[in-house]
Amino acid sequence: MREQEERARRRNKNLTISLTVIGVFAVVLAAVFVVNRVSGSESAEVAAGESRFVRADSHKLSVAADGKVTLVEFLDFECEACRAAFPIVEDLREQYAGKVTFVARYFPLPGHFNAERAARAVEAAAGQDKFDAMYQRMYQTQSQWGEKQVPADEVFRGFAKDLGLDLAAWDKAYNDPATLERIKKDVADGQALGVSGTPTFFLNGQKLEPQSVDDFKAAIDAALAS
């Protein structure tokens, strides 16, 4: 009986998301959530100059003038693995400033109660040129509102207030169906590209699955050198 309990304890432990941000970057397969099709989110046609990786309205955290290397992340603000990856991505943005374009795409998972709300909050802030600030705030505060089964609308509104946004305009955008459709468009593109969990990275259109920070840098350096 004790042996069975120990095996059960180990199985439960293995299901825990355990990304560490100290020298190691691992996208843990156990942390991947299967994404159901979102009704009304059929992948839109790809316009000239666009791709399913980067749309004209995609949010670029950093931009390389030569456009040679682009790193795209499909993310969920309530995902613990995404939060663990966040400081690594921030370090990469600093290290490769002006050399790599970093793009953030929404991919809220159905199993996360406030993930879609968080995406709407960030998109509403983007309308006032505060995408990056709200994007960062979500990860910095995830432990306060994530993994809870109560709406975090007022929490997110508080973030908008703290950032000095026009709250009337933010409220309107947060509740606008067009904002949700904008998020669904990202989800649909991700699904079309085979994304099933977060974070999922693509480097110049190729899925990137680094097992360490060094792997991540090596892939970027190779792309820059090619």
Side-chain angles (χ1 to χ4, degrees):
M1 178 67 72
R2 185 172 298 175
E3 184 179 349
Q4 291 177 341
E5 291 177 349
E6 179 64 14
R7 285 201 299 268
R9 184 187 67 79
R10 289 177 180 173
R11 284 197 298 271
N12 289 335
K13 184 177 181 180
N14 289 337
L15 291 175
T16 303
I17 297 172
S18 58
L19 282 182
T20 175
V21 297
I22 305 176
V24 177
F25 178 82
V27 180
V28 182
L29 294 180
V32 174
F33 295 84
V34 175
V35 178
N36 296 322
R37 287 285 176 181
V38 180
S39 61
S41 62
E42 291 295 326
S43 190
E45 292 298 321
V46 179
E50 292 187 336
S51 73
R52 298 210 187 280
F53 299 101
V54 184
R55 296 281 188 169
D57 60 357
S58 292
H59 296 296
K60 297 178 179 179
L61 300 171
S62 304
V63 177
D66 61 12
K68 182 177 181 180
V69 178
T70 299
L71 181 69
V72 178
E73 178 185 5
F74 284 86
L75 57 83
D76 174 336
F77 293 111
E78 195 171 352
C79 168
E80 291 183 25
C82 292
R83 183 182 66 179
F86 166 67
I88 297 170
V89 173
E90 291 297 286
D91 286 345
L92 292 172
R93 285 176 62 188
E94 182 176 352
Q95 182 173 344
Y96 292 97
K99 298 179 180 179
V100 176
T101 297
F102 290 81
V103 180
R105 308 272 325 252
Y106 302 115
F107 205 79
L109 300 169
H112 288 154
F113 188 83
N114 280 303
E116 189 176 272
R117 289 180 172 86
R120 286 195 286 125
V122 175
E123 184 61 20
Q128 298 184 50
D129 297 322
K130 292 291 185 179
F131 175 89
D132 206 343
M134 187 68 91
Y135 156 91
Q136 294 185 35
R137 182 65 62 90
M138 287 298 175
Y139 286 130
Q140 292 164 352
T141 64
Q142 189 195 88
S143 61
Q144 299 175 23
W145 55 267
E147 299 300 326
K148 294 179 174 60
Q149 299 301 306
V150 293
D153 306 81
E154 289 305 312
V155 174
F156 299 152
R157 192 173 193 271
F159 297 163
K161 182 178 180 180
D162 292 342
L163 292 175
L165 301 184
D166 179 331
L167 289 182
W170 184 89
D171 287 340
K172 182 178 179 180
Y174 182 72
N175 294 300
D176 190 341
T179 298
L180 182 55
E181 286 305 310
R182 165 69 180 76
I183 293 163
K184 286 183 176 182
K185 185 171 70 173
D186 275 13
V187 172
D189 277 345
Q191 290 173 338
L193 294 170
V195 175
S196 61
T198 56
T200 295
F201 293 93
F202 292 93
L203 183 65
N204 282 358
Q206 297 298 313
K207 190 174 183 180
L208 189 63
E209 298 180 296
Q211 298 303 305
S212 69
V213 175
D214 287 341
D215 287 348
F216 217 147
K217 292 179 179 178
I220 294 174
D221 289 341
L224 287 169
S226 64

